[in-house]
Amino acid sequence: MNILIMGPAGAGKGTMSDLILKEYDIPHISTGDMLRENVRNNTELGKEAKSYMDAGKLVPDDVINAMVEKRLQEPDCQKGYLLDGFPRTLVQAKAFAEISEKIGKPVQSVIALEVGLDVLEERITGRRICPKCGAIYHIHNKPSKVEGKCDVCGSDLVQRKDDTIEQLKVRMDEYEKSTKPVIDFYAESGVVTEINAAEKPEVVFGHIKDALSKIQ
């Protein structure tokens, strides 16, 4: 089961990804995590990526594409994969279409989480994270047991500096400009399911399961 999950910041990709992994036993592959792991492990691709990062430049598509291609051929991807954060642009999508076909792992389903700006604002501005263990909370929807403290490790929770209405609007503009064309690209193949992500998580996941049942 080869899946892409897409949606703007705050749409619930992380929550839905966790539920998909538990249900279908496939790895969640975040290109951000993959990039950091390659740099940390000092792989050849990691070294190349770090040279761009150290120079303050974006890591080129061909380096990211090569990392994704290598990652999808690892043993834990035999049953499929859930890609999050890739492809972000139409150029990446077209390149990935060739890569995934070449390695026999073409995209079978694109889950596009749709949610309005007003809902995203409430979600984003209320989000709090633990800088030590990475646990995520929300002051309304998922508060910690002790206000301002992480349930897992007890560290002080913080609000990310980009979790503001101003930054959300910047990210939404970028999403509309770069990522919407990717969804349109996959829609031509009939693999896109648009889901209202403003509903409760269990309802959203129910819609996702219905969409994935068509490819099992």
Side-chain angles (χ1 to χ4, degrees):
M1 185 176 291
N2 308 326
I3 310 166
L4 303 185
I5 187 165
M6 311 191 80
K13 295 189 297 294
T15 299
M16 290 304 116
S17 294
D18 288 344
L19 294 171
I20 290 170
L21 303 192
K22 291 175 183 175
E23 183 78 18
Y24 300 101
D25 190 29
I26 55 176
H28 176 208
I29 301 171
S30 160
T31 47
D33 292 343
M34 182 184 62
L35 182 60
R36 286 186 288 271
E37 184 177 348
N38 273 271
V39 171
R40 185 171 59 249
N41 293 336
N42 207 32
T43 67
E44 288 304 314
L45 289 170
K47 291 176 186 175
E48 188 174 355
K50 190 173 186 298
S51 68
Y52 289 98
M53 294 162 69
D54 288 347
K57 299 178 181 178
L58 291 175
V59 179
D61 282 347
D62 58 346
V63 177
I64 299 294
N65 293 343
M67 285 185 184
V68 172
E69 180 175 355
K70 186 173 184 297
R71 178 67 182 88
L72 295 188
Q73 294 180 82
E74 293 181 9
D76 64 337
C77 291
Q78 285 186 348
K79 294 181 181 179
Y81 55 81
L82 174 65
L83 258 178
D84 176 5
F86 181 90
R88 288 185 185 273
T89 66
L90 190 56
V91 171
Q92 287 181 345
K94 290 179 177 179
F96 183 59
E98 295 181 5
I99 291 170
S100 58
E101 287 288 348
K102 181 177 72 174
I103 64 177
K105 296 182 182 295
V107 174
Q108 295 172 293
S109 180
V110 177
I111 302 299
L113 301 178
E114 303 284 342
V115 59
L117 184 61
D118 56 337
V119 176
L120 292 177
E121 286 182 358
E122 191 274 335
R123 289 181 178 178
I124 289 291
T125 57
R127 185 160 58 186
R128 299 292 184 269
I129 64 169
C130 175
K132 185 174 182 180
C133 72
I136 300 175
Y137 301 88
H138 192 280
I139 58 175
H140 300 302
N141 304 330
K142 188 186 175 184
S144 56
K145 294 175 182 176
V146 176
E147 185 176 351
K149 297 288 185 179
C150 177
D151 294 345
V152 179
C153 67
S155 299
D156 290 335
L157 300 178
V158 299
Q159 181 180 27
R160 291 193 330 190
K161 62 182 180 180
D162 58 345
D163 278 351
T164 64
I165 293 175
E166 293 74 21
Q167 283 300 310
L168 172 61
K169 289 178 178 176
V170 170
R171 286 189 282 181
M172 282 297 291
D173 287 343
E174 182 63 26
Y175 178 77
E176 290 289 333
K177 183 175 70 176
S178 299
T179 308
K180 278 288 190 179
V182 175
I183 295 175
D184 293 340
F185 171 75
Y186 284 109
E188 293 176 5
S189 304
V191 297
V192 174
T193 301
E194 294 186 349
I195 292 174
N196 177 9
E199 298 182 282
K200 292 182 178 180
E202 60 269 23
V203 175
V204 176
F205 187 54
H207 294 319
I208 290 176
K209 287 173 68 175
D210 288 342
L212 297 181
S213 68
K214 299 171 184 176
I215 64 171
Q216 283 184 294

